[in-house]
Amino acid sequence: MPKTKRNKRFEVLENRPVHKDGFIGEWVDVGLYAMGSPNDPKPSIKIENGKVVEMDGVRREDFNMNEQFVADYAIDLAMAPKAMAMSEQEIAHMLVDINVPRTECTKVMQGLTPAKIAGVMDKLDIAEIILAMHKMRTRGKPGNQAHITSATDNPVLLVADAAEGALRGFLEVETTVAVVRYAPLNALSLLIGSQTGRPGTLTQCSLEEAFELQIGMRGLTAYAETISVYGTENVFIDGDDTPWSKAFLASCYASRGLKMRFTSGTGSEVQMGAAEGKSMLYLEVLCIMLTKGAGVQGLQNGSISCIGVPGAVPSGLRAVAAENLVTTALDLEVASGNDQTFSHSDLRRTARTMPQFFAGTDFVFSGYSGVPNYDNMFAGSNWDIEDEDDYLALQRDFKVDGGNRPVLEADVVAVRNKAARALQAVYRELGFPPITDEEVELATYANGSKDITPRNIPEDLKAAERLLKEGINGASVVKALAKGGFEDIAKNVLMMLKQRISGDYLQTSSWVAKDGYVWSAVNDPNTYTGPGTGYQLSPERWEEIKNIPWAIRPEDV
């Protein structure tokens, strides 16, 4: 048979990177449906004697555990009759209308059932979602978070990368491990590096929940966010969890002065094969309301590690933006995703970020990779350090505060070197395997783990075990830094330990300034009501964003 003659344009198009991505048509029965599935329940509520006896067409005696928790703890029953009587169109208009204050919108949203909230989101197009998110985010000033990880768990490289990330403006930096037993050393590197780059930067080490709580109580991390909740009962109990156990865990963090937020994401239930035929957004709304009901101050969502699932179906990325909006509309802090790669297309991965970037969220990324993606142990971020100049240019192009700041090469070299030398001193004081001057030099100028010599892993792992067994904690680090000649960094670490006593940074949307002052939705609320209101770039911040180092200046010509 003769070969079918092809149109050359279609041959070219089929070789574009986007054709390496996965796409699938809507599949209702398995939950591969972004928003407005025909299987989603119809909104309803019945309240008797101060208790919800029916929600979204389900009688109380038939509630699953998620529905019971939401009905008992996540709905403002005083507001519910009025809010539920409003049309979805009317509530959608409120979210977009700059003349309706944010506080009025949150009151209405907190009186709605999950199905009603999902229905409201389906009335909004992407431009309206962006405008509503700009108005509804809890904190005035947007921020950003970075992943700082290493494919080899190299502690010297990690401390230098954490220092650079903090210098570049990330308010939070998060690590995880390639080898589980390295986790205590990774947490130590992030603590020292972050407080070298910018005092007040919050750090976490993402691992198993009991370890996260333990390492946080020792003062080696400052927050946690990988406490996952799910929209269907079968997925939830697969991890031996319930909404009540998660709420208890949240109280454990709060009682020890640790900031924390839950994690969820559109598509997780589909990915785990138990979506019950509901739309991804409806199930995510349940997760958001579980978070609200548990009394947690915020949520990391935006599909997170499941982004390939909504990214494959029609309107999927719109649903991801909608889940971020729901989180803010329920008065929660949002770390809005963008933290895992999902597309071979540079155009798609950029477009996926733009709703959060243009609207501004509490944390535009819940993990911009502050290292090359080959070193990113969170499976690679949607953006990494090699995209940083593009990101800075976009801030400048659109006069948007995306949380990052331009830096000079000399300043980065200096802060990386100082952080590596500080860790060298701490290792010496604690009797850990020595960090050589050669390692300090390599980490100072490295881009990633390919540029630094391997450590003696068995000896490092013995040090990690010692750290846990000998009760080494934040105070131990302060003493070691001071004895090693890094009194300024020691004071910064001590300042972070003091935050546990005041508890100020347990407030919604908190971040800590260089001087230890805590900003949050309490003292920096989003007051946007139209042009010229809400968060505005200060002249100083605009000058910083404008002055990317590679721009030609008139005086240089």
Side-chain angles (χ1 to χ4, degrees), residues 77-98:
L77 299 188
M79 189 67 197
K82 178 182 176 181
M84 290 295 290
M86 299 171 67
S87 72
E88 294 168 356
Q89 190 82 10
E90 184 180 0
I91 300 168
H93 269 275
M94 287 181 63
L95 292 172
V96 176
D97 188 347
I98 60 175

Side-chain angles (χ1 to χ4, degrees), residues 388-550:
E388 176 66 359
D389 286 356
D390 299 75
Y391 192 80
L392 295 174
L394 286 171
Q395 289 187 144
R396 187 178 189 264
D397 289 340
F398 293 101
K399 197 178 182 181
V400 165
D401 191 341
N404 293 15
R405 56 187 297 263
V407 292
L408 297 175
E409 182 177 354
D411 293 338
V412 168
V413 167
V415 79
R416 291 179 68 93
N417 182 263
K418 183 176 180 179
R421 289 186 292 108
L423 186 69
Q424 182 184 47
V426 169
Y427 269 44
R428 183 172 59 246
E429 294 298 329
L430 295 178
F432 286 178
I435 293 172
T436 66
D437 290 342
E438 179 192 13
E439 287 179 290
V440 170
E441 180 77 2
L442 289 172
T444 298
Y445 294 97
N447 180 45
S449 59
K450 296 176 182 178
D451 306 316
I452 192 166
T453 53
R455 295 274 297 170
N456 186 325
I457 294 175
E459 291 304 309
D460 274 352
L461 293 179
K462 290 178 185 177
E465 290 176 6
R466 277 190 52 212
L467 189 151
L468 292 177
K469 289 180 180 178
E470 296 178 12
I472 294 169
N473 57 27
S476 311
V477 177
V478 172
K479 293 175 184 177
L481 284 165
K483 286 183 67 177
F486 293 89
E487 291 86 355
D488 56 339
I489 305 176
K491 289 178 181 177
N492 296 341
V493 174
L494 181 60
M495 180 264 286
M496 295 305 294
L497 296 178
K498 290 179 179 178
Q499 295 293 343
R500 310 297 181 79
I501 308 301
S502 68
D504 287 347
Y505 85 134
L506 301 185
Q507 301 296 335
T508 299
S509 301
S510 66
W511 64 280
V512 182
K514 290 181 181 180
D515 59 1
Y517 187 80
V518 176
W519 292 95
S520 71
V522 174
N523 56 4
D524 181 27
N526 183 11
T527 57
Y528 178 78
T529 54
T533 66
Y535 175 73
Q536 300 289 310
L537 285 172
S538 67
E540 295 78 16
R541 176 62 172 144
W542 178 225
E543 284 300 314
E544 183 177 59
I545 288 172
K546 283 194 292 187
N547 289 324
I548 52 176
W550 63 95

Side-chain angles (χ1 to χ4, degrees), residues 136 176 217 222 252:
M136 296 305 299
T176 190
M217 289 170 63
C252 293

Side-chain angles (χ1 to χ4, degrees), residues 107-174:
K107 287 179 183 177
V108 170
M109 291 293 291
Q110 291 177 79
L112 303 180
T113 65
K116 188 79 167 185
I117 291 175
V120 170
M121 292 302 110
D122 207 18
K123 300 296 182 185
L124 300 169
D125 66 27
I126 189 61
E128 291 160 347
I129 289 171
I130 293 171
L131 177 57
M133 192 152 35
H134 185 57
K135 168 182 160 181
M136 296 305 299
R137 72 168 186 260
T138 52
R139 189 178 67 228
K141 176 184 170 63
N144 219 343
Q145 179 198 120
H147 287 162
I148 303 293
T149 61
S150 165
T152 58
D153 290 320
N154 189 294
V156 198
L157 185 60
L158 283 167
V159 77
D161 283 331
E164 180 178 342
L167 182 70
R168 287 184 179 274
F170 292 101
L171 304 180
E172 297 179 349
V173 292
E174 173 189 16

Side-chain angles (χ1 to χ4, degrees), residues 349-369:
R349 69 184 184 90
T350 303
R352 181 261 180 273
T353 303
M354 289 304 98
Q356 297 81 12
F357 178 78
F358 287 138
T361 62
D362 299 301
F363 296 95
V364 176
F365 287 73
S366 53
Y368 184 117
S369 186

